[in-house]
Amino acid sequence: MTETISSKVLIEWIGILVIFSIISAIGNVIGYHYPFMESLVGMLILCGISLAGLIIETYTPWDIPSILYISILGLLLALPISPVSDFIIYYTTRVELISLTTVLLAYAGISMGKDLGDFKKVGVKGVVVTFFVIFGTYVGSALIAQFVLMYTGMI
Amino acid sequence: MNDGLTNINIRDILNYKLHITVLVIFLISTYIGVIRFSLFDTITIIILPLVFSLFLSLFAYTSKRIEWIQKKESQTATLIFTVIICPLIAKLAIVSGANIHLLYQTGPLLILEELGDILCVLVAMPIAILLGFRRKSVGMASSICREPQMAVIINRYGADSEEMKGLMIVYSIGIVLGTVFMSLIVNIMSYLLPLHPYAYAIACAIGSTSMNVAGLSALCVLYPDISNQLMAFSAIANLISVLLSVYIFMFILLPLAERIYSFLEGYQ
């Protein structure tokens, strides 16, 4: 079932993305010495792709998250055969991933603040699960990588 | 997608005090930068600016002095957070598109490495359920719990769901302790289970930049002669991980976690 996006949601998305672009661009100037306008253009490209993904998600009937559309859109636009790849790659490399993550986590911390009470309760148990999540992912990937490297004769 | 957050309106989003606070936190964190120090000789501990950012903003919420960051702002931040993950995904997608030649030069078999994450679900899911996390287990133990998986969980279960709370537990602990755990695990496993260092370099592309760097640094300290090859393998594996982790998570890991959940909860 398709649904229409209310103008309220659309304005919210655009508002958030514009604010995020400006904050990130300022940080990229101060922290990584990229020209402000180049970082801003890079951010606006990323936000344009995001907005397109969010809108596609709302208008398609399948239960597929927007990040999938965003991933595919970003990938296709940056492929060597894409006519806009040079433009897109140039400006988006003016945006450091680490700076985006740093802004994301600033909002994440404020967002987590209201759930801090719940968080304290899980304490040590949460640490145990986290350890085994990392351990399992690492060892599982290493075992398969070992097999693949041996199979392809690389080692 | 934002069902639980409909009470947020555009005026909340344009609350400049919230954004200026974030900007200040961001600038302080960026100014501090990457801190690295060694524990004993082989364990390199790396702290990225995002760690400072998380702690400073948590501090801003709890601090009595910063009275303009309250529950309402926290709810607004949850909505903002849901939307601004998207540009991060776009950035990663563009990186993988630009480096597509690396993907086919190294052979498509390396893609199989992503399936190693299944071991994470098999090991961590029963532990999480045993420790009594119930529905939170699905968010906690179905993946390494980074941004791409977070976006899937938010999409499927909602930003205020039990699954999302579970994911945020591992996400936050991962940010704080992930790099330390990675350094330790990389060091210890090289002795306990001596696979080829290339295999471990590929495995370091665990899906988190900070953990990847921390693990790889430890590996390079262990095998300094081949550190360039280790870095190359890890970078390629990281690209594959960026490209595929969402799909592997959605179509393999999450369904598997749900299966294990209904199987084990059935027993209790």
Side-chain angles (χ1 to χ4, degrees):
Chain A
M1 216 179 79
T2 55
E3 48 185 304
T4 49
I5 309 171
S6 66
S7 58
K8 175 181 175 279
V9 173
L10 196 63
I11 291 169
E12 280 177 9
W13 284 345
I14 294 172
I16 291 168
L17 291 171
V18 168
I19 292 167
F20 183 47
S21 297
I22 295 169
I23 292 179
S24 301
I26 295 173
N28 275 285
V29 174
I30 295 172
Y32 304 94
H33 307 293
Y34 292 126
F36 178 76
M37 281 317 288
E38 291 192 3
S39 290
L40 192 64
V41 172
M43 279 308 298
L44 292 175
I45 292 171
L46 296 178
C47 291
I49 295 171
S50 306
L51 194 63
L54 288 166
I55 292 171
I56 294 171
E57 184 199 21
T58 317
Y59 280 105
T60 44
W62 312 288
D63 182 23
I64 296 176
S66 51
I67 49 163
L68 216 94
Y69 298 115
I70 296 166
S71 297
I72 294 168
L73 216 57
L75 181 95
L76 290 179
L77 288 172
L79 284 180
I81 53 161
S82 153
V84 290
S85 67
D86 288 343
F87 171 80
I88 283 190
I89 292 165
Y90 178 82
Y91 285 103
T92 53
T93 49
R94 270 30 184 193
V95 178
E96 288 289 330
L97 184 66
I98 188 91
S99 68
L100 299 189
T101 318
T102 309
V103 181
L104 181 78
L105 285 195
Y107 285 109
I110 293 171
S111 165
M112 279 160 57
K114 64 181 186 308
D115 302 320
L116 211 59
D118 302 346
F119 182 74
K120 276 179 191 155
K121 271 183 262 166
V122 293
V124 178
K125 287 180 183 178
V127 172
V128 171
V129 176
T130 307
F131 179 84
F132 282 102
V133 162
I134 297 172
F135 179 83
T137 308
Y138 180 69
V139 175
S141 302
L143 286 171
I144 291 183
Q146 174 85 6
F147 170 78
V148 167
L149 290 167
M150 285 169 80
Y151 182 79
T152 54
M154 225 160 219
I155 54 172
Chain B
M1 177 172 161
N2 306 320
D3 292 341
L5 299 159
T6 39
N7 58 333
I8 305 293
N9 59 40
I10 190 73
R11 205 182 310 150
D12 296 320
I13 288 167
L14 296 179
N15 177 352
Y16 68 94
K17 284 182 180 172
L18 170 64
H19 303 298
I20 290 176
T21 310
V22 166
L23 180 62
V24 170
I25 289 169
F26 172 40
L27 293 179
I28 294 171
S29 310
T30 304
Y31 180 75
I32 299 171
V34 179
I35 301 217
R36 67 182 73 216
F37 56 94
S38 314
L39 205 63
F40 310 113
D41 272 335
T42 49
I43 301 172
T44 310
I45 294 175
I46 294 165
I47 305 174
L48 294 175
L50 44 110
V51 177
F52 305 119
S53 177
L54 183 79
F55 279 110
L56 286 172
S57 58
L58 267 174
F59 171 76
Y61 182 83
T62 46
S63 166
K64 295 259 186 310
R65 285 236 184 120
I66 305 176
E67 67 210 5
W68 57 89
I69 302 290
Q70 297 290 339
K71 190 150 189 182
K72 186 75 181 170
E73 285 69 31
S74 181
Q75 287 169 343
T76 311
T78 308
L79 171 64
I80 293 174
F81 180 61
T82 318
V83 175
I84 65 177
I85 284 184
C86 298
L88 266 95
I89 302 289
K91 165 82 181 165
L92 297 178
I94 289 170
V95 173
S96 51
N99 291 285
I100 198 85
H101 60 282
L102 279 178
L103 293 182
Y104 52 71
Q105 266 176 13
T106 47
L109 271 178
L110 216 51
I111 287 170
L112 290 175
E113 174 263 338
E114 275 295 298
L115 293 176
D117 297 4
I118 288 172
L119 192 69
C120 157
V121 186
L122 295 179
V123 172
M125 218 29 218
I127 292 173
I129 292 172
L130 260 170
L131 290 174
F133 281 108
R134 307 192 67 84
R135 282 305 296 172
K136 286 195 180 79
S137 310
V138 174
M140 293 174 87
S142 54
S143 73
I144 190 77
C145 296
R146 309 326 298 173
E147 290 83 359
Q149 293 86 4
M150 186 186 296
V152 174
I153 292 282
I154 289 173
N155 253 275
R156 185 158 299 181
Y157 301 100
D160 269 332
S161 61
E162 284 293 295
E163 292 81 358
M164 179 58 187
K165 281 176 193 154
L167 183 135
M168 283 312 289
I169 293 169
V170 175
Y171 181 81
S172 330
I173 297 173
I175 287 170
V176 184
L177 293 174
T179 53
V180 184
F181 283 170
M182 263 310 267
S183 310
L184 281 173
I185 293 169
V186 166
N187 278 290
I188 294 164
M189 287 313 289
S190 297
Y191 295 107
L192 290 185
L193 180 69
L195 301 177
H196 198 282
Y198 289 174
Y200 278 131
I202 291 165
C204 278
I206 198 160
S208 146
T209 313
S210 58
M211 292 186 214
N212 186 351
V213 176
L216 194 61
S217 311
L219 210 57
C220 289
V221 174
L222 288 174
Y223 307 99
D225 297 345
I226 51 168
S227 60
N228 279 331
Q229 290 94 313
L230 295 177
M231 279 187 244
F233 269 110
S234 205
I236 292 158
N238 191 41
L239 272 175
I240 293 173
S241 176
V242 165
L243 195 63
L244 291 180
S245 59
V246 171
Y247 310 87
I248 302 267
F249 180 60
M250 268 196 297
F251 297 117
I252 298 174
L253 302 179
L254 201 50
L256 180 66
E258 286 284 5
R259 283 251 168 122
I260 294 177
Y261 178 81
S262 43
F263 180 77
L264 289 179
E265 282 291 305
Y267 266 96
Q268 282 183 354

